[in-house]
Amino acid sequence: MDFQNEINTLYKMRFMENEGDDIVIFEQLLNEIAVNSNVDIIPSLCTLLEDEVAEPSVSEYVIDTIFYIAKQRNTDKALEHVATSIPNMLMSAEFWVERIHQLILSNAEFTKAYAEILTNINPNITEVIKKNLVKLKEEPIDAIQIKQIELLLKNS
């Protein structure tokens, strides 16, 4: 099933600043995508993330959808799509990239899969992600996440 119309609508609504933008409709479209799509939709979902949104819960819903799809479908392929989307996201969604990395780091299965992915993707993308992880390590995060970052940096 092609979700391009839904993605286009979500993209137009992502800032929640226009007349007719409705968070309920936004969430319903994401739910439809979550239930009926596959992991190949993840790069399109990543384009919806923006740091400068009027309603941050919009981006939280997008991230929840990405991780729901990752858990329900092919986790490795889903995280590979996330990883390869990171460089494009850093320009306008740096905060959400950090949030995605925190969620990956808080799940041992995701962290292990992500470490493997980072060894197999384009080395330029891996370097961008590693720089972001080093930056995240300097933020106030818990000791477990610091150890997970060190593991990712060492193994990729």
Side-chain angles (χ1 to χ4, degrees), residues 75-84 110-122 126 129 152 156:
T75 299
D76 292 349
K77 190 65 177 169
L79 291 175
E80 181 180 337
H81 282 308
V82 168
T84 57
F110 284 177
T111 303
K112 183 179 176 187
Y114 204 59
E116 181 67 27
I117 288 160
L118 293 180
T119 64
N120 294 317
I121 61 173
N122 179 315
T126 299
I129 291 171
L152 282 172
S156 56

Side-chain angles (χ1 to χ4, degrees), residues 99 101-108 110-111 142 144-145 148:
R99 182 73 184 118
H101 279 141
Q102 288 171 341
L103 289 169
I104 290 169
L105 294 168
S106 67
N107 180 305
F110 284 177
T111 303
D142 66 46
I144 293 171
Q145 287 183 329
Q148 297 287 56

Side-chain angles (χ1 to χ4, degrees), residues 41-56:
I41 196 78
I42 290 175
S44 295
L45 291 171
C46 288
T47 67
L48 302 175
L49 296 170
E50 296 279 346
D51 285 341
E52 302 299 323
V53 293
E55 184 58 56

Side-chain angles (χ1 to χ4, degrees), residues 15-135:
F15 291 109
M16 289 291 149
E17 295 177 335
N18 300 311
E19 187 175 326
D21 289 351
D22 185 334
I23 194 124
V24 173
I25 293 171
F26 194 91
E27 191 173 2
Q28 288 171 343
L29 290 170
L30 285 173
N31 286 336
E32 181 181 337
I33 289 170
V35 171
N36 297 308
S37 71
N38 62 40
V39 296
D40 295 331
I41 196 78
I42 290 175
S44 295
L45 291 171
C46 288
T47 67
L48 302 175
L49 296 170
E50 296 279 346
D51 285 341
E52 302 299 323
V53 293
E55 184 58 56
S57 62
V58 166
S59 294
E60 287 288 348
Y61 293 147
V62 172
I63 290 174
D64 289 347
T65 303
I66 291 168
F67 281 91
Y68 176 85
I69 292 169
K71 289 176 186 174
Q72 298 300 315
R73 313 293 188 303
N74 182 335
T75 299
D76 292 349
K77 190 65 177 169
L79 291 175
E80 181 180 337
H81 282 308
V82 168
T84 57
S85 297
I86 296 288
N88 293 330
M89 294 168 57
L90 284 172
M91 295 293 240
S92 60
E94 186 174 5
F95 172 82
W96 298 109
V97 168
E98 287 182 15
R99 182 73 184 118
I100 286 169
H101 279 141
Q102 288 171 341
L103 289 169
I104 290 169
L105 294 168
S106 67
N107 180 305
E109 177 189 346
F110 284 177
T111 303
K112 183 179 176 187
Y114 204 59
E116 181 67 27
I117 288 160
L118 293 180
T119 64
N120 294 317
I121 61 173
N122 179 315
N124 294 331
I125 294 173
T126 299
E127 279 306 308
V128 167
I129 291 171
K130 287 171 86 172
K131 286 178 183 176
N132 186 265
L133 289 169
V134 167
K135 186 177 173 185

